[in-house]
Amino acid sequence: MDRILLQITGSQLVDGQADQIEITTIGTMRDDGAAYIIRYTEEQEPPMAPVKVTVRIQKDESTVQVTRTGGVESCLIVEKAKRNQCNYDTGFGNLLMGIYGRAIETDVKDGNGSFAFEYDIDVNGAVTSKNTVNMVYSIK
Protein backbone atom coordinates (compact mmCIF):
# COMPACT_ATOMS: atom_id res chain seq x y z
CA MET A 1 0.00 0.00 0.00
CA ASP A 2 1.39 3.36 -1.05
CA ARG A 3 0.77 6.75 0.52
CA ILE A 4 -0.42 9.18 -2.15
CA LEU A 5 -1.11 12.85 -2.66
CA LEU A 6 -4.56 12.92 -4.22
CA GLN A 7 -6.19 15.77 -6.13
CA ILE A 8 -9.90 15.29 -6.84
CA THR A 9 -12.00 17.51 -9.08
CA GLY A 10 -15.72 16.89 -9.23
CA SER A 11 -17.93 18.65 -11.78
CA GLN A 12 -21.70 18.68 -11.80
CA LEU A 13 -24.16 20.03 -14.37
CA VAL A 14 -27.67 20.67 -13.03
CA ASP A 15 -30.32 22.49 -15.09
CA GLY A 16 -27.62 24.03 -17.29
CA GLN A 17 -25.72 25.34 -14.24
CA ALA A 18 -22.16 24.03 -13.74
CA ASP A 19 -20.57 23.58 -10.32
CA GLN A 20 -17.12 22.27 -9.42
CA ILE A 21 -15.37 21.21 -6.22
CA GLU A 22 -11.69 20.48 -5.69
CA ILE A 23 -10.10 18.49 -2.88
CA THR A 24 -6.42 17.85 -2.22
CA THR A 25 -5.67 15.26 0.45
CA ILE A 26 -3.33 12.48 1.53
CA GLY A 27 -4.57 8.91 1.16
CA THR A 28 -3.48 5.40 0.33
CA MET A 29 -3.65 3.31 -2.81
CA ARG A 30 -3.15 -0.38 -3.41
CA ASP A 31 -3.49 -2.78 -6.30
CA ASP A 32 -5.37 -5.97 -5.38
CA GLY A 33 -4.83 -7.53 -8.81
CA ALA A 34 -8.32 -6.81 -10.17
CA ALA A 35 -8.76 -3.22 -8.99
CA TYR A 36 -7.06 -0.11 -7.67
CA ILE A 37 -8.28 0.76 -4.18
CA ILE A 38 -7.92 4.34 -2.95
CA ARG A 39 -8.75 5.40 0.62
CA TYR A 40 -8.85 8.90 2.07
CA THR A 41 -10.73 10.98 4.65
CA GLU A 42 -12.88 14.04 3.93
CA GLU A 43 -13.01 16.52 6.78
CA GLN A 44 -16.47 18.03 7.26
CA GLU A 45 -17.69 21.29 8.75
CA PRO A 46 -18.25 20.90 12.51
CA PRO A 47 -20.24 19.34 14.05
CA MET A 48 -20.26 16.72 11.26
CA ALA A 49 -17.94 13.74 11.69
CA PRO A 50 -15.20 13.12 9.09
CA VAL A 51 -16.16 10.86 6.17
CA LYS A 52 -13.95 7.92 5.23
CA VAL A 53 -14.00 7.27 1.48
CA THR A 54 -13.00 4.11 -0.37
CA VAL A 55 -12.85 4.19 -4.18
CA ARG A 56 -12.48 0.86 -5.99
CA ILE A 57 -11.69 1.17 -9.72
CA GLN A 58 -11.74 -2.06 -11.72
CA LYS A 59 -8.63 -2.42 -13.90
CA ASP A 60 -10.82 -3.38 -16.88
CA GLU A 61 -12.51 0.06 -16.57
CA SER A 62 -15.95 -1.55 -16.15
CA THR A 63 -16.89 -0.38 -12.65
CA VAL A 64 -16.11 2.22 -10.00
CA GLN A 65 -17.49 1.82 -6.49
CA VAL A 66 -17.35 4.78 -4.09
CA THR A 67 -18.18 3.93 -0.47
CA ARG A 68 -18.52 6.69 2.13
CA THR A 69 -18.80 6.00 5.87
CA GLY A 70 -18.87 8.24 8.91
CA GLY A 71 -20.72 11.56 8.97
CA VAL A 72 -22.66 10.53 5.86
CA GLU A 73 -22.94 7.08 4.33
CA SER A 74 -23.45 5.98 0.76
CA CYS A 75 -22.36 3.47 -1.83
CA LEU A 76 -22.21 4.74 -5.39
CA ILE A 77 -21.74 2.16 -8.15
CA VAL A 78 -20.80 3.45 -11.59
CA GLU A 79 -20.82 0.82 -14.34
CA LYS A 80 -20.17 1.70 -17.98
CA ALA A 81 -23.43 1.79 -19.95
CA LYS A 82 -25.46 0.43 -17.01
CA ARG A 83 -27.87 1.92 -14.48
CA ASN A 84 -27.66 1.03 -10.79
CA GLN A 85 -29.81 2.14 -7.90
CA CYS A 86 -27.84 3.55 -5.00
CA ASN A 87 -28.71 4.77 -1.53
CA TYR A 88 -27.30 8.19 -0.67
CA ASP A 89 -27.31 9.72 2.81
CA THR A 90 -27.86 13.48 2.48
CA GLY A 91 -27.31 14.10 6.17
CA PHE A 92 -31.03 14.87 6.42
CA GLY A 93 -32.25 11.45 5.27
CA ASN A 94 -31.67 8.77 2.66
CA LEU A 95 -32.35 9.21 -1.04
CA LEU A 96 -32.66 6.36 -3.56
CA MET A 97 -31.26 7.42 -6.91
CA GLY A 98 -30.28 5.89 -10.22
CA ILE A 99 -26.67 6.07 -11.40
CA TYR A 100 -25.94 5.61 -15.11
CA GLY A 101 -22.23 5.22 -15.94
CA ARG A 102 -21.07 7.00 -19.08
CA ALA A 103 -17.27 6.55 -18.98
CA ILE A 104 -14.44 5.17 -16.86
CA GLU A 105 -10.75 5.75 -17.64
CA THR A 106 -7.55 4.74 -15.86
CA ASP A 107 -4.02 5.98 -16.54
CA VAL A 108 -1.61 4.33 -14.09
CA LYS A 109 2.12 4.95 -14.38
CA ASP A 110 5.12 4.47 -12.12
CA GLY A 111 4.69 6.86 -9.23
CA ASN A 112 1.67 8.77 -10.53
CA GLY A 113 -1.49 8.51 -12.59
CA SER A 114 -5.14 9.39 -12.87
CA PHE A 115 -8.64 7.99 -12.82
CA ALA A 116 -11.73 9.60 -14.34
CA PHE A 117 -15.36 8.61 -14.44
CA GLU A 118 -18.59 10.15 -15.67
CA TYR A 119 -22.13 9.37 -14.63
CA ASP A 120 -25.68 10.69 -14.63
CA ILE A 121 -27.90 10.79 -11.54
CA ASP A 122 -31.64 10.33 -11.87
CA VAL A 123 -34.37 10.58 -9.27
CA ASN A 124 -37.76 9.04 -10.09
CA GLY A 125 -36.46 8.32 -13.61
CA ALA A 126 -35.64 11.98 -14.44
CA VAL A 127 -31.97 12.92 -14.92
CA THR A 128 -31.11 15.51 -12.28
CA SER A 129 -27.37 15.93 -12.92
CA LYS A 130 -24.44 14.97 -15.13
CA ASN A 131 -21.26 14.38 -13.14
CA THR A 132 -17.55 13.99 -13.82
CA VAL A 133 -14.86 13.00 -11.29
CA ASN A 134 -11.13 13.31 -12.02
CA MET A 135 -8.62 11.89 -9.55
CA VAL A 136 -4.91 12.60 -10.03
CA TYR A 137 -2.40 11.00 -7.68
CA SER A 138 1.31 10.90 -7.01
CA ILE A 139 3.08 8.50 -4.66
CA LYS A 140 4.63 10.26 -1.67
Side-chain angles (χ1 to χ4, degrees):
M1 186 173 331
D2 294 313
R3 281 181 46 90
I4 58 171
L5 176 63
L6 184 61
Q7 296 173 311
I8 304 166
T9 304
S11 302
Q12 185 177 55
L13 183 63
V14 178
D15 293 330
Q17 298 290 326
D19 190 25
Q20 183 169 301
I21 62 163
E22 294 182 13
I23 299 170
T24 300
T25 188
I26 300 293
T28 62
M29 185 173 106
R30 73 181 177 91
D31 178 346
D32 76 355
Y36 301 103
I37 300 168
I38 297 172
R39 289 190 169 94
Y40 63 93
T41 300
E42 287 181 1
E43 296 299 326
Q44 304 294 310
E45 292 290 325
M48 295 287 290
V51 176
K52 294 186 183 295
V53 181
T54 302
V55 182
R56 182 180 177 88
I57 304 115
Q58 292 298 121
K59 285 184 169 184
D60 66 4
E61 298 181 339
S62 64
T63 308
V64 174
Q65 180 176 331
V66 181
T67 305
R68 300 164 59 88
T69 59
V72 293
E73 299 200 0
S74 65
C75 182
L76 179 88
I77 299 172
V78 178
E79 281 186 275
K80 265 189 197 176
K82 290 186 181 176
R83 182 180 180 274
N84 288 287
Q85 286 192 324
C86 298
N87 196 25
Y88 186 79
D89 181 357
T90 65
F92 300 101
N94 288 331
L95 179 65
L96 184 63
M97 57 189 182
I99 306 296
Y100 179 80
R102 290 185 281 126
I104 299 170
E105 297 177 6
T106 61
D107 183 16
V108 177
K109 301 176 181 137
D110 252 356
N112 62 48
S114 65
F115 303 102
F117 52 101
E118 299 176 9
Y119 59 96
D120 297 339
I121 295 177
D122 69 75
V123 178
N124 293 329
V127 174
T128 57
S129 68
K130 295 185 176 291
N131 304 271
T132 302
V133 176
N134 291 300
M135 305 174 78
V136 177
Y137 73 90
S138 57
I139 295 175
K140 290 197 58 79

